[in-house]
Amino acid sequence: MPDSRPDIQTEADVKTLVDTFYDKVNADPLLAPVFNEFARVDWAAHLPRMYDFWSGLLLHTARYRGQPFRKHIPLPIGGAHFERWLALFHRTVDELFAGPVAAEAKLRAQSIAHVFETRLQPGRLSVL
């Protein structure tokens, strides 16, 4: 039976992915406090940046400007946080989309989580 889920193809798809994912993050007992109590994320500003970030990775647009790693340095996060973030991201992609771009989204998220977690380990900090 063919999969009826669409692939990620449009800006609207990226927005759906990001919004749905961050809804899960905001409901998560491990991640929500980091975003909302420690980082005090301004969601009205953060979400459009995430649309641009993921659009750049998945649709090859070039709107995102920034250095995302630096913003994560002061956060009280470790392996469990990255594991949960990645699980929620994969679950969100799998609920909404299927296809090569959806698979690429999960690979990109895996890579981001691995790099950030590795670079944030004590003694491994590098901002270059």
Side-chain angles (χ1 to χ4, degrees):
M1 183 160 129
D3 196 323
S4 63
R5 294 172 296 163
D7 202 358
I8 301 167
Q9 299 176 357
T10 67
E11 295 289 336
D13 294 338
V14 170
K15 185 177 185 308
T16 297
L17 171 62
V18 169
D19 288 345
T20 306
F21 169 66
Y22 281 107
D23 284 346
K24 288 178 180 10
V25 166
N26 274 302
D28 186 82
L30 180 63
L31 297 179
V34 174
F35 282 84
N36 296 311
E37 295 167 24
F38 188 86
R40 298 188 190 278
V41 170
D42 175 357
W43 291 104
H46 185 68
L47 290 174
R49 290 183 62 93
M50 293 299 91
Y51 305 149
D52 289 348
F53 178 79
W54 285 103
S55 177
L57 291 178
L58 303 175
L59 304 179
H60 310 289
T61 60
R63 293 186 311 268
Y64 180 78
R65 299 286 182 260
Q67 298 176 327
F69 177 74
R70 287 182 185 223
K71 295 182 186 287
H72 293 79
I73 292 171
L75 299 178
I77 53 178
H81 295 91
F82 286 103
E83 189 175 306
R84 180 78 51 85
W85 181 90
L86 191 58
L88 292 177
F89 191 87
H90 281 206
R91 185 178 318 143
T92 303
V93 171
D94 288 341
E95 287 171 1
L96 299 169
F97 302 104
V101 181
E104 178 70 14
K106 292 191 294 185
L107 286 173
R108 294 289 188 135
Q110 180 78 38
S111 177
I112 291 165
H114 174 74
V115 168
F116 279 30
E117 182 180 1
T118 299
R119 290 180 71 192
L120 287 171
Q121 289 177 7
R124 303 268 325 240
L125 181 62
S126 169
V127 292
L128 301 177

